[in-house]
Amino acid sequence: AFGIFTDGTSKTITVKDAGKVKTAGNNSWSSYADDGQEGINQWYTYTTDKSGNYTLGRIPYSITEPGFGRVAQGFDITTGAINKSHPSLKGESGLGERAYGNNESIYLLAETELYSENTTMGTKNYIISGVSSVATGVDNVDIDVATGAEAAGTHNAIGVNFLHDKKGYVIAAVVLGEDNGNAKDYAFILDSEPTQEDYNADPDEWVWYRKAIVNGQEVELKEKGSSAKYLGKAVMGQYEWYRISEDKDGYVVNASSKNKDDTNYVKNQAVDFTGNTVGHLYISSPYAFTQLAQNDGVALVREQWTGTETDAAKRGLVLQEYTLYTYDRNDYNTGIHLKSDANAVLIQEDVDDSRVIEYFDSKDGRANVEQALKTLENNYFKGEVYYVMDDGEASTIIIVDKDSHDSDGIQGPNNKKVAKVEYFADMKVLYAEDKDGTRIDGATISLYMMDKGWQHVGDYTTSSNTPGHSGITESLDLTPGQYKAVCGSVEKLFTVS
């Protein structure tokens, strides 16, 4: 038999004797061997002999049943959620009594696998195959419990199978459902796929990592298990928003959003701002945000400029004390107030399509946004601004500048747009190229000569002054020797003979 223990471990055990057990929907006691259920899903006491064989002892569905009185178990198929606001499990008629979670209750989130399928009837049966997470204390869980038809598709895995003491407190519960995690944040995903994956032989699981911006900081999201359900390349998109839920150990247990007309959060769904209106969680314009009167139910706001506006005054971002005005404040009351410690992030696209990210996270929210706007230095803004809201104020502002920058624009931390530097001996010039092999004007190349160490010769700028030749320096009269040309993080060693 496959067994789950209260510490979250699970394994196949050899059952020597199970006495009499009672299954859901069957009010008579029958032997384990005669039951015929592949997923009995009940709690037992147990003892083991010297060979490791298990003898199981039945646990009743009523604490008052004669001969017992210490513990009882129950099924609950109607509870919608388990969290600190909903700590009770009510039990079903004849199959349990009401019990309450406390700080010592153990919640085991069940994993399931397909057991059988009737393609003619279109039905599937699942069995519990393990435990995906363990949490202690009802204040540390937030689980949407599977109910109704969703739970009935599993062999007796109906919602919650719980064990309680004589005072009515939950000792442990195996729960079928979706773990929303205890911590929830909105994450802007930075990479296109997991940056790393590690395998741990004990306890035989993988860990995946993705980079994201959360609360104005660059963080590394992590997920563990047998597959990347949430952080995988195929399920999570780059430069998209998700509501991330994490367990008490900081591992992602859900990634979802509530878009457009969604009633509930949808797993592995990125935020889609298109078509969102006033009544929804995510909105695409401060016009709608203003109509909501800075409702604290709004979690994420986007303002977008296409670069086609005719009025220059409508293209800027204006900061007045702790209020950021977007678009034209004379025509629209669209100012969004900053929290006193709001963080700011500026993302600018370089000419090679890489993104240069700067973080402003001092304790002064006004100074953070002000510095981001100064760094932007662009009154004719083309791009997007995201506001992560907290009780009607912006706790994080992310500015995504999508203007096309040339070589006189941003350089990036390592002059990223220059991918190659070469010395052209016939013309005695240095030249710089981008990743596509196109010559670049305006790149500064520092030249060094080996003479008891690298000695600085001079700095030279590529230009198109020579007819028919762009992206080259002036002609260099170099003495024979070994040289090194440096442009940002790109280096080129060459010899002049």
Side-chain angles (χ1 to χ4, degrees):
F2 180 76
I4 294 174
F5 298 82
T6 56
D7 64 356
T9 59
S10 56
K11 61 182 178 179
T12 298
I13 62 175
T14 300
V15 178
K16 179 181 179 181
D17 182 21
K20 300 290 184 177
V21 300
K22 187 178 183 181
T23 60
N26 180 4
N27 288 324
S28 63
W29 294 98
S30 60
S31 70
Y32 180 95
D34 296 337
D35 182 83
Q37 291 282 357
E38 292 77 10
I40 290 180
N41 301 324
Q42 294 187 86
W43 287 98
Y44 301 90
T45 61
Y46 69 89
T47 57
T48 57
D49 61 20
K50 62 181 180 180
S51 299
N53 298 319
Y54 282 70
T55 295
L56 304 182
R58 76 178 181 92
I59 297 175
Y61 289 92
S62 173
I63 202 75
T64 59
E65 183 171 328
F68 291 89
R70 291 185 299 111
V71 295
Q73 65 177 306
F75 292 92
D76 189 338
I77 62 175
T78 59
T79 291
I82 301 175
N83 52 46
K84 60 186 177 183
S85 300
H86 303 90
S88 69
L89 300 169
K90 74 177 189 63
E92 299 304 310
S93 177
L95 293 174
E97 302 160 337
R98 187 176 295 275
Y100 299 86
N102 60 19
N103 290 341
E104 298 179 355
S105 301
I106 300 171
Y107 296 90
L108 312 166
L109 191 68
E111 288 185 337
T112 62
E113 64 181 33
L114 184 65
Y115 168 71
S116 64
E117 181 177 6
N118 187 324
T119 55
T120 302
M121 300 296 293
T123 59
K124 296 180 180 181
N125 288 315
Y126 296 84
I127 58 173
I128 291 177
S129 58
V131 174
S132 63
S133 66
V134 181
T136 301
V138 71
D139 57 338
N140 289 321
V141 298
D142 184 7
I143 302 173
D144 292 329
V145 180
T147 59
E150 182 182 2
T154 306
H155 275 293
N156 292 333
I158 40 182
V160 186
N161 301 50
F162 62 95
L163 183 68
H164 66 87
D165 62 17
K166 63 183 179 180
K167 293 183 179 180
Y169 290 119
V170 173
I171 298 171
V174 175
V175 186
L176 183 69
E178 286 291 328
D179 187 356
N180 292 321
N182 194 41
K184 301 179 183 64
D185 288 302
Y186 295 92
F188 185 70
I189 308 304
L190 294 177
D191 45 30
S192 59
E193 59 185 311
T195 54
Q196 181 181 343
E197 55 182 48
D198 299 329
Y199 175 70
N200 298 324
D202 184 18
D204 185 25
E205 66 184 11
W206 290 85
V207 182
W208 291 267
Y209 303 87
R210 293 284 296 260
K211 290 183 180 179
I213 298 175
V214 177
N215 295 325
Q217 306 280 346
E218 183 172 314
V219 301
E220 195 167 52
L221 303 175
K222 57 182 181 177
E223 177 188 1
K224 63 180 179 179
S226 57
S227 63
K229 298 178 180 178
Y230 308 109
L231 303 187
K233 179 179 180 179
V235 293
M236 177 171 280
Q238 185 180 28
Y239 305 136
E240 292 183 331
W241 285 92
Y242 296 84
R243 187 182 79 150
I244 297 297
S245 301
E246 297 177 329
D247 64 16
K248 62 183 180 65
D249 297 317
Y251 290 95
V252 172
V253 294
N254 206 350
S256 62
S257 76
K258 185 190 291 184
N259 291 331
K260 300 177 182 177
D261 299 322
D262 292 337
T263 301
N264 300 309
Y265 288 96
V266 179
K267 185 169 64 175
N268 291 334
Q269 176 176 269
V271 176
D272 179 8
F273 293 92
T274 306
N276 279 278
T277 55
V278 174
H280 302 114
L281 184 62
Y282 306 103
I283 55 179
S284 58
S285 167
Y287 305 150
F289 181 70
T290 301
Q291 295 175 48
L292 282 172
Q294 299 194 358
N295 189 318
D296 59 13
V298 176
L300 189 60
V301 180
R302 180 186 71 173
E303 177 64 39
Q304 186 177 34
W305 286 263
T306 63
T308 59
E309 295 85 356
T310 58
D311 187 349
K314 293 183 178 182
R315 302 193 200 180
L317 302 174
V318 181
L319 180 66
Q320 296 287 347
E321 293 300 326
Y322 281 85
T323 299
L324 183 64
Y325 289 96
T326 62
Y327 225 65
D328 187 350
R329 68 185 178 94
N330 293 320
D331 294 336
Y332 304 100
N333 181 21
T334 56
I336 292 183
H337 195 262
L338 313 177
K339 292 183 74 70
S340 61
D341 59 350
N343 293 324
V345 181
L346 176 62
I347 303 175
Q348 293 182 283
E349 292 189 355
D350 208 339
V351 291
D352 62 359
D353 296 327
S354 61
R355 295 198 174 195
V356 181
I357 305 176
E358 295 182 74
Y359 297 90
F360 307 90
D361 54 4
S362 71
K363 297 297 183 181
D364 189 339
R366 180 182 180 278
N368 290 335
V369 177
E370 184 176 52
Q371 188 60 42
L373 295 179
K374 286 182 178 180
T375 304
L376 178 64
E377 292 184 348
N378 189 347
N379 292 325
Y380 299 93
F381 181 67
K382 176 183 178 182
E384 301 159 346
V385 182
Y386 297 98
Y387 308 84
V388 181
M389 307 307 296
D390 181 10
D391 292 331
E393 295 181 303
S395 59
T396 296
I397 291 177
I398 298 180
I399 302 171
V400 181
D401 181 13
K402 303 187 108 176
D403 215 358
S404 179
H405 293 272
D406 58 22
S407 59
D408 292 326
I410 59 172
Q411 300 294 311
N414 296 304
N415 200 5
K416 286 185 175 181
K417 62 178 171 294
V418 175
K420 181 180 180 181
V421 174
E422 291 288 349
Y423 177 68
F424 190 7
D426 288 349
M427 294 183 65
K428 299 182 179 180
V429 297
L430 291 165
Y431 64 87
E433 292 182 350
D434 65 15
K435 63 177 183 177
D436 297 319
T438 302
R439 296 272 183 91
I440 296 175
D441 292 337
T444 299
I445 302 175
S446 298
L447 187 62
Y448 301 85
M449 181 180 181
M450 176 58 72
D451 182 13
K452 297 180 182 180
W454 290 112
Q455 305 299 321
H456 184 239
V457 175
D459 296 326
Y460 305 92
T461 302
T462 61
S463 68
S464 57
N465 291 334
T466 303
H469 297 280
S470 64
I472 66 173
T473 64
E474 61 187 81
S475 181
L476 306 175
D477 187 13
L478 302 179
T479 59
Q482 186 179 9
Y483 291 85
K484 177 174 69 173
V486 180
C487 185
S489 61
V490 180
E491 294 186 0
K492 173 66 178 181
L493 298 175
F494 62 96
T495 301
V496 175
S497 57

